[in-house]
Amino acid sequence: MIDIQHVNKSFEDKQVLFDVSIIFEKGVNNLIIGQSGSGKTVLMKCLLGLLTPESGKILFDERNFVGADTKTLHDVRKEVGTVFQNSALFDSMSVLKNVMFPLDMFTEWNYIQKAERAIDCLEQVGLENVEDKMPSDLSGGMRKRVAIARAIANRPKYLFCDEPNSGLDPYTSSLIDDLIAELTYRHKMTTVINTHDMNSVLKTGDRINFVYKGHIAWQGTSAEILSSGSTELVEFLESSELTKRLLHKN
Amino acid sequence: MLRQSLITLGQYFRLLGLVFQKPTKQRLFMRQIRDEIYYLGVNSTAIVAVISFFVGAAVTAQIKYNIDSPFMPDYALGFATRKAIILEFAPTIIGIILAGKIGSHIASQLGTMRISEQIDAIEAMGINSANYLILPKIIACFIFCPILIMLSIVTALVGGWTIGVNVAGLTTYQYIYGIQFEHNSFDLLYAIIKIVVFSFLISSMSSFYGYNVKGGALEVGRASTKAIVNSSIAIIVFNMVLTQLLIA
């Protein structure tokens, strides 16, 4: 479980996050949704330790990540898997070496053990016989799958996905959603997904947090989102043709 | 302007503080050094050899033209060529060429990794990305640049011999006698000290500009240009300082 308590974050004189408090539960898909510029990515970067909040706490199973000593930071980060918006695969490494990278860094396993785990992770994301390919040889969807395989290689307790569907066609996008949800349930991970894909929200949103101008404006589930009663959320949902139709149908 | 320069200098030293830390995995670190020696060093041997050969030939031709006098012994041509090449040409000119070749490679590689979130991915795993990415490059340059300088000196002297024998009318014996005349081992040490300092400037400054790229492809290009220009200026300035310290 990740417990965010009263987090504030500014850049020079512009405050981006205002007293944000959220609980991300274990074994479910926790979604952060909101318009571009609402503070979603800043919140995600605070969770990853790439940005430091001015105040508040981010507790990873009772361990505060904000202002933590190097050992705690290191210990928590070893338990985190991340899927970046652009996949962020290492161009100079083959697919197999990309997936093996966290194992190279954090385990004392021999090459065969690491390769077996990497191939197993690639199979879990539905990729076979791509081990020797370079990231540049793969399609966008395949790159995303490799990024997911790399993120789960070290069996993380926490999985962060920053807009995992961006740039993908609806079919591949749906497959990626299913894959993340399935891995979350199977490995009992605390998964946090930053998205503005309404299809993903309705399909996999076990817990949804709507960020509006740096505030948490609404929290609920995909079953409750269409009857939220929040003016800002309704306005956001109406920007998508899919949710707009569903809203009017309701 | 001055304030911005001081801020940049502070950021540079802060980055160096992150770079010079114990690597996460020793075995992986050694493998990275080996790879960087190949990419940065071995891949630079051809350009260094070609440029050194022709500049060595040109230096010899210039010296012949300028000191052609009946009072000058023939072997003076080999002697002057050796001095010019070891003391100035090999470390400084090759340093500037490497600033272009290695500097642009490092800055564009790190810049691309930054804008495509690869550096963020390393950081998010709890790895010190500056140490993981930059330290192997600096150490690889420390190891391979002195070898490149030795190669440069040898090929430049061969270039000088080609002109000396075929154009300036020297015999091979006279040329070799000249380059051996009053040999001083300190000259070679001086060239190596210079290139070690220059290799640190090239690798660390280029890494600084590449690592701190913000934006897109255009900024990667700008960082690469800044890396080359500023490390070349630093080489010229440090060349003067080292010359004063070592032989003045």
Side-chain angles (χ1 to χ4, degrees):
Chain A
M1 186 181 81
I2 303 169
D3 187 0
I4 302 178
Q5 297 177 357
H6 310 292
V7 162
N8 289 284
K9 177 67 191 168
S10 313
F11 292 100
E12 293 174 358
D13 55 347
K14 189 176 184 292
Q15 187 155 356
V16 181
L17 296 178
F18 297 86
D19 196 35
V20 170
S21 294
I22 312 174
I23 292 177
F24 295 122
E25 289 174 18
K26 188 181 171 185
V28 296
N29 288 305
N30 299 278
L31 267 55
I32 305 172
I33 61 168
Q35 292 171 357
S36 298
S38 60
K40 299 192 307 288
T41 302
V42 172
L43 179 59
M44 184 67 99
K45 288 195 169 178
C46 288
L47 284 168
L48 289 169
L50 299 174
L51 293 173
T52 310
E54 275 91 52
S55 61
K57 288 180 179 176
I58 299 175
L59 301 165
F60 284 76
D61 292 312
E62 308 299 322
R63 295 166 295 175
N64 188 11
F65 201 52
V66 180
D69 57 85
T70 317
K71 190 185 174 302
T72 311
L73 283 175
H74 192 70
D75 289 347
V76 171
R77 279 172 156 170
K78 275 203 290 189
E79 297 171 358
V80 170
T82 313
V83 180
F84 282 86
Q85 191 175 349
N86 301 317
S87 304
L89 299 179
F90 305 123
D91 302 328
S92 57
M93 296 181 192
S94 67
V95 166
L96 185 70
K97 285 193 173 167
N98 261 285
V99 181
M100 279 168 60
F101 184 78
L103 305 171
D104 278 335
M105 297 309 286
F106 299 119
T107 70
E108 295 299 331
W109 296 357
N110 62 35
Y111 181 85
I112 295 169
Q113 288 172 307
K114 287 185 281 191
E116 278 175 358
R117 168 66 72 83
I119 290 166
D120 173 53
C121 291
L122 286 168
E123 280 171 3
Q124 285 189 53
V125 299
L127 290 175
E128 283 174 14
N129 303 321
V130 293
E131 295 84 12
D132 298 326
K133 290 193 183 255
M134 297 304 282
S136 55
D137 299 330
L138 305 177
S139 67
M142 287 168 90
R143 287 169 68 93
K144 206 70 92 174
R145 283 164 186 259
V146 175
I148 295 170
R150 184 178 68 183
I152 62 166
N154 215 14
R155 295 281 186 270
K157 287 169 77 175
Y158 315 99
L159 179 66
F160 295 111
C161 305
D162 187 17
E163 302 194 12
N165 320 90
S166 86
L168 300 180
D169 64 86
Y171 178 75
T172 313
S173 177
S174 176
L175 288 179
I176 295 291
D177 286 338
D178 291 341
L179 182 61
I180 293 171
E182 189 201 326
L183 291 169
T184 301
Y185 304 141
R186 191 193 306 164
H187 298 299
K188 297 266 180 289
M189 293 184 290
T190 304
T191 299
V192 181
I193 304 166
N194 193 349
T195 186
H196 44 207
D197 183 289
M198 295 322 294
N199 197 35
S200 309
V201 173
L202 296 174
K203 196 174 176 189
T204 61
D206 299 325
R207 300 278 185 281
I208 302 166
N209 301 277
F210 174 58
V211 185
Y212 182 76
K213 292 184 179 172
H215 298 268
I216 299 297
W218 182 82
Q219 289 176 307
T221 65
S222 56
E224 299 162 350
I225 196 165
L226 296 173
S227 53
S228 66
S230 161
T231 321
E232 293 88 2
L233 180 58
V234 170
E235 194 181 305
F236 175 68
L237 294 175
E238 285 195 331
S239 61
S240 157
E241 199 54 40
L242 170 71
T243 43
K244 189 179 178 180
R245 286 184 188 182
L246 289 170
L247 274 171
H248 289 289
K249 203 173 162 188
N250 274 5
Chain B
M1 171 83 175
L2 180 68
R3 187 170 174 270
Q4 188 52 47
S5 302
L6 288 172
I7 289 171
T8 307
L9 198 64
Q11 288 168 337
Y12 172 70
F13 283 110
R14 213 173 139 203
L15 179 69
L16 290 184
L18 290 171
V19 168
F20 289 101
Q21 289 186 7
K22 193 177 168 223
T24 311
K25 267 292 185 67
Q26 205 67 35
R27 202 168 22 145
L28 204 63
F29 180 65
M30 300 310 288
R31 205 191 309 160
Q32 278 178 283
I33 291 176
R34 184 199 64 196
D35 292 347
E36 295 295 351
I37 285 176
Y38 178 76
Y39 290 125
L40 302 177
V42 177
N43 281 347
S44 303
T45 48
I47 188 172
V48 166
V50 170
I51 289 173
S52 298
F53 180 87
F54 286 101
V55 174
V59 164
T60 309
Q62 283 279 356
I63 293 169
K64 168 71 181 165
Y65 175 74
N66 283 291
I67 65 164
D68 197 14
S69 155
F71 297 107
M72 282 287 177
D74 290 334
Y75 64 81
L77 186 59
F79 173 76
T81 301
R82 185 197 81 205
K83 280 284 182 189
I85 285 168
I86 296 179
L87 295 179
E88 203 53 44
F89 160 73
T92 311
I93 304 297
I94 291 300
I96 289 170
I97 288 161
L98 291 178
K101 169 81 171 61
I102 296 177
S104 64
H105 177 94
I106 293 175
S108 54
Q109 184 198 10
L110 292 178
T112 307
M113 288 186 80
R114 169 65 75 191
I115 62 164
S116 59
E117 296 181 313
Q118 292 176 51
I119 292 180
D120 284 348
I122 295 172
E123 284 288 322
M125 286 179 208
I127 299 159
N128 175 348
S129 61
N131 169 269
Y132 174 76
L133 294 169
I134 300 173
L135 190 56
K137 295 184 197 311
I138 292 177
I139 293 177
C141 286
F142 272 159
I143 295 169
F144 210 79
C145 285
I147 297 171
L148 283 178
I149 282 307
M150 291 300 128
L151 172 75
S152 164
I153 291 169
V154 171
T155 48
L157 290 175
V158 171
W161 170 83
T162 310
I163 286 290
V165 172
N166 296 308
V167 179
L170 256 64
T171 63
T172 299
Y173 173 79
Q174 285 169 329
Y175 183 77
I176 290 174
Y177 181 80
I179 62 174
Q180 289 176 336
F181 183 71
E182 287 194 355
H183 172 68
N184 183 355
S185 302
F186 178 74
D187 288 355
L188 281 175
L189 180 65
Y190 166 83
I192 289 171
I193 291 170
K194 269 188 172 182
I195 198 65
V196 166
V197 173
F198 297 162
S199 66
F200 175 74
L201 292 171
I202 295 165
S203 53
S204 64
M205 288 177 74
S206 308
S207 298
F208 171 74
Y209 286 109
Y211 189 81
N212 289 308
V213 163
K214 284 190 179 81
L218 194 63
E219 276 70 22
V220 175
R222 280 190 188 137
S224 188
T225 308
K226 268 187 189 175
I228 296 168
V229 171
N230 291 337
S231 50
S232 299
I233 292 170
I235 285 171
I236 297 295
V237 172
F238 272 79
N239 180 46
M240 187 201 71
V241 173
L242 288 171
T243 304
Q244 287 297 313
L245 286 173
L246 294 169
I247 53 174

